[in-house]
Amino acid sequence: MLALIPAQARRIGLVGAAVTDHPGIVELVRTLVEDGREVGISSLRADRLCARPELVSLLAQSGAKTLTTAADGASERLRVALDRRTTAAQLLRVAGLAREAGFQRLKLYLMLGLPGEEDRDLDELAELAADISRIVPLSFGCAPFVAKRNTPMDGTAFVRSKRPSDASRTCARSCAGGRRSVRPARAGPGRVHARAGNEDAGLAALDAWRAGGSFAAWKRAFRERGVRPFGARRVRDGRLRLPQLAAWPSI
């Protein structure tokens, strides 16, 4: 990997599905930092950062100002439902590592509009945000939940109401101020991502691009191609039925 990096490149981005799972990630970043390069990593898992704290200090030494990781869901309950094992304790530990290393800010990505999400989950998130912000300045990057193939919620329908946007606004009101900030989720892009990736969806994407790529162009293209939201099922009367959530005991 080191041999593939151009000698003149001063800023290096490490990209992958789970970069911090690489067994030699600390040694790789250490070598790059000692060579005077700035290093960015696409995906930092909180549990891996807790297990490899040197990685946090190395990224700070390379010139990074913000440490980014994922909170995934708003509460422990929702993270378990997603099969994401990140805990509040780990996120607090990462905040401490970020402060010790000299980072100016910790940024957490999370999904809103998860099946079964309730106000109590957002209340838990607000409490966690308050605890973290007492350690290091905090910002949230919020996105609406979209089910992915081969995940615990594969087949779950996209929340087509305004719930993700409303949840992000509630979160922003609860967490904003002082050393906390929230970037609200926009439900529109999520509605695009929630379409199944079949041939019709691909043709609709081409139609939308040719029409300028606006959200209105996407909606028109999906309608004309008959592309339905991922997770929806058609019944005899032609209406769409969403999967029942009662089968999710962890929710």
Side-chain angles (χ1 to χ4, degrees):
M1 292 176 65
L2 290 170
L4 296 173
I5 299 174
Q8 69 274 15
R10 307 318 304 166
R11 301 181 64 186
I12 309 299
L14 303 178
V15 182
V19 177
T20 46
D21 285 350
H22 192 289
I25 186 63
V26 175
E27 292 77 11
L28 176 61
V29 174
R30 185 189 303 117
T31 300
L32 293 171
V33 171
E34 290 175 350
D35 199 30
R37 304 176 194 248
E38 181 179 343
V39 182
I41 298 180
S42 64
S43 176
L44 292 167
R45 285 177 48 178
D47 60 338
R48 297 295 190 265
L49 292 177
C50 291
R52 301 171 175 175
E54 184 186 355
L55 187 57
V56 177
S57 60
L58 286 171
L59 292 172
Q61 291 174 36
S62 77
K65 303 300 181 185
T66 299
L67 183 66
T68 303
T69 187
D72 297 316
S75 67
E76 297 281 279
R77 182 178 72 94
L78 293 177
R79 285 191 285 274
V80 170
L82 285 169
D83 198 23
R84 303 293 177 89
R85 301 306 179 184
T86 301
T87 65
Q90 290 171 340
L91 294 172
L92 288 168
R93 171 61 175 153
V94 170
L97 293 173
R99 177 178 177 176
E100 293 170 7
F103 279 96
Q104 296 179 0
R105 181 170 296 274
L106 176 66
K107 183 173 184 179
L108 298 181
Y109 283 114
L110 75 151
M111 295 177 286
L112 297 175
L114 287 159
E117 182 181 89
E118 300 174 2
D119 289 342
R120 60 180 170 135
D121 300 302
L122 299 180
D123 292 340
E124 182 176 324
L125 176 64
E127 292 177 6
L128 177 62
D131 292 338
I132 291 178
S133 65
R134 283 190 279 267
I135 302 171
V136 64
L138 172 67
S139 64
F140 281 105
C142 304
F145 167 76
V146 177
K148 298 296 190 298
R149 303 286 188 180
N150 302 314
T151 65
M153 292 188 179
D154 186 344
T156 302
F158 179 70
V159 179
R160 302 182 68 185
S161 67
K162 295 182 179 180
R163 172 67 186 177
S165 296
D166 291 343
S168 66
R169 293 189 187 97
T170 301
C171 182
R173 287 193 297 269
S174 302
C175 302
R179 291 152 59 90
R180 307 183 295 277
S181 64
V182 177
R183 183 178 180 180
R186 293 175 57 232
R191 295 192 188 104
V192 172
H193 298 160
R195 264 49 184 185
N198 56 19
E199 182 178 351
D200 288 337
L203 293 172
L206 181 59
D207 294 341
W209 173 76
R210 286 172 172 166
S214 67
F215 184 53
W218 280 101
K219 290 202 299 183
R220 182 170 57 254
F222 284 140
R223 183 175 62 252
E224 292 175 352
R225 292 282 181 180
V227 179
R228 297 180 292 147
F230 172 54
R233 294 179 173 86
R234 190 170 297 280
V235 294
R236 290 183 180 178
D237 60 5
R239 293 180 298 177
L240 295 180
R241 174 174 59 84
L242 302 182
Q244 298 298 314
L245 298 181
W248 294 95
S250 57
I251 294 290

